[in-house]
Amino acid sequence: MDEKIEIRNVSKRYGSKTALDNVDLTIGKGMFGLLGRNGAGKTTLMKTLAALHLKNSGTITVCGVPIEDRKRIRSMTGYLPQEFSMYPTMRVEECLDYLGVLSGMDKALRRERADMLLKKVNLNEHRRKKVKELSGGMKRRLGIAQALLHDPKVLIVDEPTAGLDPEERIRFRNLLGEVAEERIVILSTHIVGDIEASCEMAAVMNEGRILWTGRIADLIHDAEGKVWTVTVESRFLPQIKSLYSVTGMVMQGSQTTVRFVHEGAPDLTGAAETSPCLEDAYIYCLFKNGCIDMGGEG
Amino acid sequence: MKASCYLSCLCTDIKRNALPHILAAAALTLTVPLVFSLTSLSAPLSAQPLEMYLSLTGTLLLTPVFLPEQNEDIRDVVRVRRMPYLTVCAMRIAYLTIIAAVLYGVITVGLVRGESTVTEAHYFGGLFTALFLGSVGVAGSAIGGNTVIGYMASFLFFSANFFLKARFGVFYLFGLSTETGISKLWLLGGSATLIITAFLYLRFVKKL
Amino acid sequence: MLFAKELRRVVFSKIFILFFAAEVFFGFYTQFWSDMGAGYKSFEPPVPGGVYGMVVVDDPPTLTQEATASLINEFVNNEYITYPYGFIHKVHLKGADKDKIAVILSTLTGISDIEHHVSSTYEIEYTYDDDLKQYAIPELGVLDNVSIDDFHALMTEADKILGGGSKYSPDEIMYNFSLGPMPYEEALAEYNSLINDDKITNGYARLFCDYHGIDMTLLPVFLVAVFLSSDKRSKAEQLIYSRSISSIKLVSARFAALVTAEMIPVLFTAVLANIRVAQFYDPSMMDMFAMFKYSLIWILPTAIAVTGIDMLLTGLIPSVAVVIFQFGFWFVTMLMTPMRETFGVFDLVIRHNTEFDRQGFMDNITVFALNRLLFTALGLVCAALYVFVWKLRREGRLGESKLLSKLSLHRH
């Protein structure tokens, strides 16, 4: 069986608003990052892949199974929604057991998988705790555990690290990385650092369209020669911002070191070319596709 | 805080939150002349529509006072504001009480025009009955943490008054209709007590 | 397994505790001690020369005389007492309607100007409400003017003119004007029927179900509304939707769990009712399963119907609106349903407010059976429609806003 997701010319509309506009993607095994602004259409695409939304046109196959075969899709897909929660008075192990029943798993398998996953996500000591007693990070880990419960071929995680502290975020990314060794994992986020740390392949979305897809290294390579730094008096900052797409600023007293994206050498004394990071490359991608103008505003 | 803030809050609340409940109470009021005769009624019979039917406007208006913020996320966003959340709820109860008073006024005028025997005791007694019933709903919502539980408490208390009758003592809702002679001020006091209890519970137990 | 999990979720919820308490309290109050006059009593065999209550008797002369006299008095005062919606209505007729009543009275009595005849000929028995007069109406010989069938037709016509709910309606006329003392033989036959045919508890079981049928028409809505909205409140909706379980399986399990949970307090009070009845009679003479049998054939269909309908409504409109709707329906039903042993195929609340009258119940057994089957089917159909609605929502085909939520920002 194909171990990839094929999305061909998929569109979805909500009334007059186009949420997905001729999306074309192939997602293979491993971690795949979906990067985009808020409102880019990432969640709509995630939900469509999880068979929670209907597309208006195009085709989607998940490991050779058409998306219209909802029952098979749901049995192959694990989903961690953006706002994850469960019944507050249920205990952690009860949640997993209940969701396992909803996934059609028998008792022995549920128990085995739940035990294994609780250890994997470091919730074993908290299995008797009620959901309302869990911290944000613990809840997310429970979310991952339930998404993996039925050993799905595809794992869809929508903004999983939003609201987590740095330590939790790193732990979560590492966990996802482990999980991605054996399956397709789609990580949708607007936090570039998450993609940079864990994905090899990615796509950039904006206003329902795919602007770019490919290897992260290639995206960064495209931005070579386009990223610059300059140190200026802080009072010149508004001018800099109006002329260039600023990706970073570090204030040091009355001076500010500005990092920005620009096609070709900028007309600025002291500007030096610098190696791009993924964030720069992302901004450059938006800039190249006309999603932001010179002044960095969309 | 400026008075204009309170006024804006009030207008938004009526428009966005309370309107369906006000319309439901108004619809109930409009059905009173269909269900009851309002003409040439004696004092006990005049009290019937006010106690045994229109009092449900109290349930419809007051019970959903906490409903807009039943979702915790919304409640958290509202709670961090300068205007205390419980002040907003108190304001709601105040204007909804006025609306109940207006609805009672409409039916009382109908009774007067129908040459039924009706006094101030009927008007205020009926209104206090509605307020008490609504307060049972408010307390149920607050303590149960769910508006449906508030409705359950209020509706069941109302229904139980038909079966258990004067066993409710001073809190019997239909005293004027059955001429028990018990003052309706007990219901007013009970109403205030229930609302204060609900607020104290939310403030000190739920820490809102 | 899923059914067991859903049942566990229902039974261990806060709302179920309140539901259970309300059902048991109501059942306990009505079955074991009550000032409505229908708490369980023990019965001794009737002795000759005693008083055994009143029954409807077939006595056309009394019926026609009493009913006509009552209509005459109300006509002369132009004030008719009716109960179209359970509450008292005072009707004052004008113009054509008043003339129609005059024609009816004229047909019944053979007297043309009845108002003048009464005020000039008959004595006033008493005056009430300051100016309303009760005349002593002598024997009118109504049956000399009309047949009994014509009499009933004219009274039905009068009831229609008055807007319904009057003493003269077909449902009420016999109970208002044709009651007589129950004869000893009939009282003895009723008692023997209770002891021998009903084995005691079957009679009490009908009374048990008469009361539980009332609360089962209202209380389930609270359980359904809170339980079904828990997915949304807990933000677990998307998670549940994304599972591979079929919509029909999940909804069916929840429906079955709700109905089962609703029957728990009924069966619990059935046990208590058995114990109570056993305090009055020799248990060896009792049918120990009667309470449970009747609960299943009488109360269970009500639970199924109410749960199914409320589930469907919860899928379409906010829970709060469903609760208000169900209470309104229940309130109107209670006002309009008479307490006596009469019911039709389309009556959700079946009344049989007595331990006796086994024969009356058995005479209506076909109607009862059809009624219960109809409401069971209705409940199941509504539950099936809810599966459809739930599936549409799961697939994103039904927008998040429910019907009435358009009026309000918040969804619950």
Side-chain angles (χ1 to χ4, degrees), chain C residues 213-368:
Chain C
I214 296 172
D215 55 59
M216 195 54 87
T217 307
L218 173 63
L219 290 175
V221 71
F222 302 109
L223 198 59
V224 170
V226 172
F227 183 70
L228 291 187
S229 59
S230 66
D231 283 355
K232 192 163 196 109
R233 278 199 323 276
S234 311
K235 294 183 203 167
E237 236 181 2
Q238 300 294 317
L239 267 188
I240 309 287
Y241 285 164
S242 68
R243 260 31 219 184
S244 60
I245 191 165
S246 68
S247 306
I248 191 166
K249 240 186 186 171
L250 180 59
V251 171
S252 302
R254 287 180 170 181
F255 175 72
L258 281 165
V259 171
T260 305
E262 285 155 17
M263 291 302 291
I264 291 173
V266 175
L267 297 173
F268 175 72
T269 42
V271 169
L272 298 179
N274 255 1
I275 294 170
R276 180 69 171 153
V277 174
Q279 290 174 335
F280 301 142
Y281 302 95
D282 177 2
S284 66
M285 293 166 59
M286 288 164 44
D287 176 357
M288 286 304 186
F289 297 105
M291 295 285 177
F292 307 103
K293 281 187 301 200
Y294 269 92
S295 296
L296 291 177
I297 63 170
W298 189 320
I299 305 302
L300 180 60
T302 305
I304 290 172
V306 174
T307 304
I309 293 166
D310 289 340
M311 277 178 91
L312 178 59
L313 288 175
T314 312
L316 298 170
I317 59 177
S319 309
V320 160
V322 178
V323 166
I324 293 171
F325 163 79
Q326 189 64 33
F327 176 79
F329 170 79
W330 176 85
F331 189 53
V332 168
T333 303
M334 292 321 300
L335 290 178
M336 311 276 284
T337 305
M339 264 220 320
R340 65 186 71 91
E341 306 75 68
T342 173
F343 50 86
V345 174
F346 300 109
D347 292 324
L348 179 59
V349 181
I350 290 181
R351 301 307 311 269
H352 190 91
N353 196 248
T354 176
E355 302 88 334
F356 296 102
D357 198 21
R358 174 189 160 81
Q359 193 54 48
F361 182 78
M362 288 303 167
D363 288 344
N364 276 320
I365 197 69
T366 312
V367 172
F368 177 85

Side-chain angles (χ1 to χ4, degrees), chain B residues 94-141:
Chain B
Y95 80 73
L96 290 167
T97 301
I98 293 169
I99 290 170
V102 166
L103 296 176
Y104 264 84
V106 166
I107 298 303
T108 308
V109 163
L111 285 164
V112 167
R113 292 187 71 173
E115 294 174 8
S116 297
T117 307
V118 64
T119 64
E120 295 89 4
H122 283 81
Y123 174 76
F124 287 107
L127 180 60
F128 296 164
T129 306
L131 291 180
F132 185 79
L133 207 49
S135 309
V136 171
V138 168
S141 296

Side-chain angles (χ1 to χ4, degrees), chain C residues 183-195:
Chain C
Y184 164 71
E185 293 76 18
E186 195 175 325
L188 183 63
E190 285 277 323
Y191 177 80
N192 287 335
S193 178
L194 176 70
I195 300 300

Side-chain angles (χ1 to χ4, degrees), chain A residues 31-49:
Chain A
M31 281 277 272
F32 184 90
L34 190 59
L35 191 55
R37 290 158 150 163
N38 291 324
K42 304 189 299 298
T43 297
T44 305
L45 183 59
M46 299 292 97
K47 285 189 172 176
T48 308
L49 291 176

Side-chain angles (χ1 to χ4, degrees), chain A residues 257-273:
Chain A
T257 303
V258 183
R259 191 183 175 92
F260 59 94
V261 166
H262 193 256
E263 195 78 65
D267 185 17
L268 263 182
T269 312
E273 193 188 311

